Amino acid sequence: MAGIEDSVDRFARGLAAEVTEGGSPYESEEFTRLVLERLADEAVFENPILLMQEGSFGKGRYGISGYAISDDEDRLTLFATRYVGVLPPPPVSAGDLKQVAELAARFLWYSAQGLHEKIEPANTDASDLARRLFDLSATARISHLKVAVLTDCKVEGKSVVLADRDGTRVDVELFGIERLHRILGQGVSREDIVVDLAEMGFAPLACLDCGYEGDYRAYLAAVPGAVLAAAYNRYGTRLLELNVRAFLGLRGRKSVNAGLRTTLRDEPQHFLAYNNGIVATVDGLELHRAGDGSVSVSRLIGLQIVNGGQTTASIHRAVTVDRVDVANVRVPAKIIVVQNDDLSRMVAAISRSANSQNTVQPADFSANDPFHVAVEALAANAWLPGESSRWFYERARGSYGAAEAKAALRANDRQRFKRETPKERRFSKTDLAKFLNTWEGYPHQVSFGGQKNFQFFMQRLKERHPDGFVPDEPWFHRLVAIAVMHRALTKVVRGIGFPAYQANIVTYVLAWLGWATGGRIDFELVWRSQAISEDLATLFEKWARAADQTLRSSAESRMPTEWAKKEACWDAFKLAVPPLPDPLPPELAQQCGAAAPSSGARSAGPALSGDDLMMIGKAREIAAEEWLQIANWGKRNRNTYKLAGIALTLAEYAADGWSRSPSVKQAKWGLELARMHGESTAE
């Protein structure tokens, strides 16, 4: 017990050090930001937004520290924070946290009564959220409210209950320092997922014991659709095996299978006959055996749906969005309890086999994808100038902590590990996807959050390289350079102190830079220095303020966080790129060619001026269809026939998403032909 307490205290000290190291006077906000970012990385929450807001409405008070809204806008999570900043972490009663949870829940209730009209007009972030909740409440869209209480204290008591209200179910989750240590310090545990049928209002589930008693046990059951819907409502995509969660979650929630939907609506009693069912693993079951030999399940611990994620999500959507009565729906299920210690390997094998008839590739189920293995190897062997430090790629979640714990066994090893691989140079698979998708012009995809953005990245990588892509050292240098810029920009944005949308501002500003430069900067300079110049930091600060204004103005009446997920938002940003300074920052004075993750790093090209880069940017603003029209017009005129070939090339670049950027000459003569075409059309 003492060992566990010591590890919790060590985790608390490390987290407290991170909260205070930035020197921010708003430690509660910094604590919330750190915790939300890491819970999102662990897929505990999808795309949480930091928003510190408190005030009064009538005679009551409210207070939140953030929020998250599901894609279907039927589920809302409101965050509340109780931060004390005391070490070792003191205890806090569940009763005290209930008061904090009530303040957060009131934000929804007050929003339904017109809170947005009472919030100070200058506080647009909070009023935008309150207005959106007012609109959703008017149509009874929000069926489930979860209040997540974050605290750096040790929670005394296990649960907090708030009453349901106006047809909205209310759940409260407490994230004390011990639970945060378990999730963030040790990685998400399947033991956190407990489906207690009695607690959820269901009878025990009758099942058939298949009788095998080797390294697993198997049971067959017909699971009520309402049970699956309720479990998904509580745990969301965490029910899906960790390595395939993003894939199944996206497809399951974004596009309900037409056949499933029709059967659920029109023939619910036939669902058992028509559906292939689900395959699930559990860490443990609570079984009851009756005198007649029948078996029933009352509790499932560590439930993971390794096949049937779309079925589960579709039933949930049918219940919460389509308001379908699933009382007669039964889903065939195979439930597997793995007996040995190698649960992760067994789950991955079951996942691959169960999904072998789908388009999912085996690499989708494991961090052992050759691409990620190669990145890990590059990180381990690519020493920074001076040969004293390197980056750490956390290919498997928790691997950094495992390496750190191993090094801690000996004092000399511990110091060397901290010196060679400091925490600030650690990055994960979701970080990698965020860095590259941002730089390559997909900030709207990054705005969906870590898991969904990672799935988009992997899908794009596989589409461009069906036979696989193995990165090399120049590619890794480029990746690290983008990571350095992203993290430096993040510090700049935090220093400005925007009240909300900081993550959106960061991804759109860096995407702006990639777009304006055609992806051409001196990556090796950034790699060697492991920092950005003061000139680039100044550019980031100016552009961050411009991005904040562009996001808000282009969103119009929409919530900026939701608008940021739209490709149309990125289109609006591309039309509002701020001018590059003259002289250029040193990182832009000597450019290297763009290299997508599907290509290799290119050799350094000639130095370009700010005017050159802006000219290339103007060429990239023209759509593929328009370049094709310009090319066809140019072919009909002897004087412009040669230029038509350049326009046709630019049309090909544009159609491919500008994965290749035009040269200065291509941009210059392409734009000249575009000008001539425009004058001819105007005559």
Side-chain angles (χ1 to χ4, degrees):
M1 190 69 177
I4 295 175
E5 291 178 352
D6 288 346
S7 65
V8 171
D9 288 347
R10 283 197 300 272
F11 171 79
R13 286 195 298 271
L15 184 58
E18 290 186 71
V19 168
T20 58
E21 69 182 5
S24 171
Y26 308 107
E27 291 185 358
S28 179
E29 180 175 345
E30 185 66 9
F31 168 80
T32 305
R33 182 189 64 77
L34 286 170
V35 170
L36 288 185
E37 285 181 356
R38 291 173 189 179
L39 289 176
D41 285 343
E42 295 290 345
V44 177
F45 298 107
E46 292 186 38
N47 201 24
I49 306 297
L50 176 70
L51 179 59
M52 309 295 291
Q53 174 66 23
E54 59 181 26
S56 59
F57 185 79
K59 296 182 179 181
R61 294 195 60 78
Y62 64 86
I64 62 171
S65 56
Y67 67 94
I69 302 178
S70 68
D71 289 343
D72 296 326
E73 296 189 320
D74 60 330
R75 290 177 294 143
L76 170 69
T77 299
L78 292 175
F79 298 99
T81 300
R82 190 181 192 278
Y83 179 78
V84 298
V86 175
L87 293 172
V92 61
S93 69
D96 288 343
L97 296 184
K98 181 177 181 178
Q99 297 178 13
V100 177
E102 286 177 340
L103 291 175
R106 288 177 190 170
F107 188 88
L108 174 59
W109 315 139
Y110 292 165
S111 293
Q113 300 171 44
L115 175 62
H116 62 281
E117 297 178 348
K118 303 296 183 180
I119 294 177
E120 285 291 329
N123 193 352
T124 56
D125 311 317
S127 62
D128 284 346
L129 175 60
R131 183 182 298 106
R132 186 61 187 144
L133 297 182
F134 175 80
D135 294 339
L136 292 173
S137 298
T139 57
R141 286 284 300 277
I142 298 177
S143 61
H144 182 207
L145 167 65
K146 177 183 290 184
V147 178
V149 182
L150 315 175
T151 178
D152 62 338
C153 300
K154 294 181 178 179
V155 178
E156 293 183 329
K158 293 184 178 180
S159 62
V160 164
V161 177
L162 295 182
D164 298 350
R165 180 166 171 175
D166 299 331
T168 297
R169 176 179 172 176
V170 182
D171 288 329
V172 179
E173 277 198 86
L174 305 180
F175 291 84
I177 196 67
E178 292 166 310
R179 189 176 182 195
L180 292 175
H181 166 250
R182 190 167 66 250
I183 296 174
L184 305 181
Q186 299 175 341
V188 174
S189 169
R190 282 185 282 267
E191 294 178 359
D192 289 335
I193 302 175
V194 178
V195 178
D196 189 318
L197 296 174
E199 180 198 347
M200 297 168 71
F202 299 105
L205 176 65
C207 63
L208 173 66
D209 187 340
C210 296
Y212 178 71
E213 296 187 10
D215 55 352
Y216 70 91
R217 293 190 65 90
Y219 301 86
L220 301 179
V223 181
V227 170
L228 288 178
Y232 193 88
N233 199 54
R234 175 170 296 186
Y235 295 109
T237 54
R238 289 182 65 199
L239 284 178
L240 309 181
E241 197 275 323
L242 296 177
N243 289 306
V244 295
R245 176 189 295 119
F247 179 86
L248 295 175
L250 270 174
R251 302 203 173 194
R253 297 202 305 149
K254 294 288 283 184
S255 56
V256 179
N257 180 280
L260 286 175
R261 191 172 187 174
T262 300
T263 304
L264 288 168
R265 184 183 63 242
D266 301 335
E267 302 177 80
Q269 71 279 8
H270 291 151
F271 196 87
L272 180 69
Y274 295 168
N275 189 259
N276 291 332
I278 67 172
V279 180
T281 64
V282 293
D283 292 357
L285 292 174
E286 287 191 6
L287 298 172
H288 299 277
R289 298 182 184 273
D292 60 0
S294 62
V295 181
S296 61
V297 176
S298 62
R299 202 161 180 255
L300 301 94
I301 302 169
L303 176 65
Q304 295 282 279
I305 297 172
V306 295
N307 185 41
Q310 184 167 351
T311 294
T312 304
S314 297
I315 293 173
H316 173 261
R317 180 178 177 122
V319 171
T320 57
V321 177
D322 300 332
R323 309 299 181 188
V324 172
D325 182 1
V326 296
N328 294 322
V329 171
R330 296 293 183 273
V331 182
K334 178 167 61 177
I335 304 171
I336 298 171
V337 186
V338 180
Q339 303 282 13
N340 62 24
D341 294 332
D342 196 7
L343 179 61
S344 297
R345 181 192 61 80
M346 189 72 167
V347 168
I350 293 169
S351 298
R352 286 192 292 269
S353 300
N355 289 278
S356 60
Q357 295 180 350
N358 297 339
T359 57
V360 185
Q361 300 299 316
D364 292 321
F365 299 100
S366 174
N368 293 326
D369 185 305
F371 170 77
H372 296 293
V373 173
V375 176
E376 182 183 51
L378 286 166
N381 294 290
W383 291 87
L384 302 180
E387 300 290 320
S388 62
S389 185
R390 58 188 172 178
W391 285 68
F392 189 101
Y393 181 51
E394 200 166 28
R395 174 171 64 88
R397 293 183 312 109
S399 60
Y400 183 89
E404 187 177 35
K406 183 178 179 180
L409 297 176
R410 297 177 59 182
N412 290 340
D413 290 345
R414 180 173 63 251
Q415 294 303 320
R416 186 174 69 249
F417 182 83
K418 289 182 177 180
R419 182 177 64 253
E420 292 180 352
T421 52
K423 283 186 176 180
E424 60 268 20
R425 291 198 176 120
R426 172 186 59 180
F427 67 105
S428 65
K429 295 194 297 292
T430 53
D431 289 330
L432 178 149
K434 175 172 63 179
F435 299 150
L436 293 178
N437 278 351
T438 292
W439 185 255
E440 288 154 17
Y442 298 96
H444 50 296
Q445 292 292 338
V446 175
S447 296
F448 275 99
Q451 293 295 326
K452 291 183 179 180
N453 179 61
F454 175 74
Q455 173 55 31
F456 175 81
F457 171 81
M458 290 303 297
Q459 191 67 32
R460 190 164 65 94
L461 188 66
K462 293 179 188 302
E463 288 173 355
R464 298 180 73 119
H465 284 275
D467 297 328
F469 167 67
V470 180
D472 56 15
E473 187 169 336
W475 179 94
F476 183 75
H477 287 194
R478 171 184 177 273
L479 166 65
V480 169
I482 296 170
V484 169
M485 289 191 295
H486 190 284
R487 290 182 173 176
L489 170 57
T490 300
K491 288 184 179 180
V492 169
V493 169
R494 288 175 186 164
I496 295 173
F498 295 109
Y501 319 136
Q502 291 188 15
N504 301 118
I505 292 169
V506 169
T507 189
Y508 272 91
V509 168
L510 194 57
W512 254 351
L513 185 65
W515 177 259
T517 62
R520 297 169 179 267
I521 72 162
D522 193 339
F523 296 117
E524 285 299 318
L525 174 61
V526 181
W527 163 264
R528 291 192 302 272
S529 61
Q530 290 293 300
I532 65 171
S533 65
E534 291 185 7
D535 289 342
L536 185 56
T538 299
L539 180 149
F540 279 159
E541 181 176 354
K542 291 180 179 179
W543 282 22
R545 298 182 189 280
D548 180 56
Q549 293 299 318
T550 301
L551 179 62
R552 295 172 186 277
S553 61
S554 62
E556 297 177 343
S557 61
R558 292 159 292 212
M559 280 195 68
T561 50
E562 296 306 306
W563 169 238
K565 300 175 183 177
K566 308 293 185 183
E567 188 171 2
C569 179
W570 177 226
D571 291 339
F573 265 78
K574 286 188 287 190
L575 297 175
V577 182
L580 287 163
D582 188 15
L584 290 169
E587 293 88 347
L588 310 185
Q590 178 72 37
Q591 297 85 25
C592 297
S598 53
S599 61
R602 301 177 193 165
S603 59
L608 305 180
S609 67
D611 290 341
D612 291 337
L613 292 172
M614 294 303 292
M615 183 163 54
I616 291 172
K618 289 180 180 179
R620 285 156 53 99
E621 291 174 5
I622 300 176
E625 296 80 3
E626 188 173 348
W627 275 123
L628 194 58
Q629 293 176 3
I630 294 169
N632 290 333
W633 176 84
K635 286 181 180 179
R636 295 194 293 267
N637 189 325
R638 177 185 297 179
N639 295 330
T640 57
Y641 188 82
K642 290 184 178 181
L643 297 183
I646 295 175
L648 188 59
T649 298
L650 295 176
E652 293 173 354
Y653 288 177
D656 193 35
W658 297 107
S659 61
R660 292 187 61 186
S661 191
S663 67
V664 176
K665 288 184 177 180
Q666 286 174 322
K668 176 182 178 181
W669 293 113
L671 290 172
E672 176 62 18
L673 184 61
R675 181 192 63 77
M676 296 167 64
H677 173 254
E679 292 177 351
S680 174
T681 304
E683 291 178 355

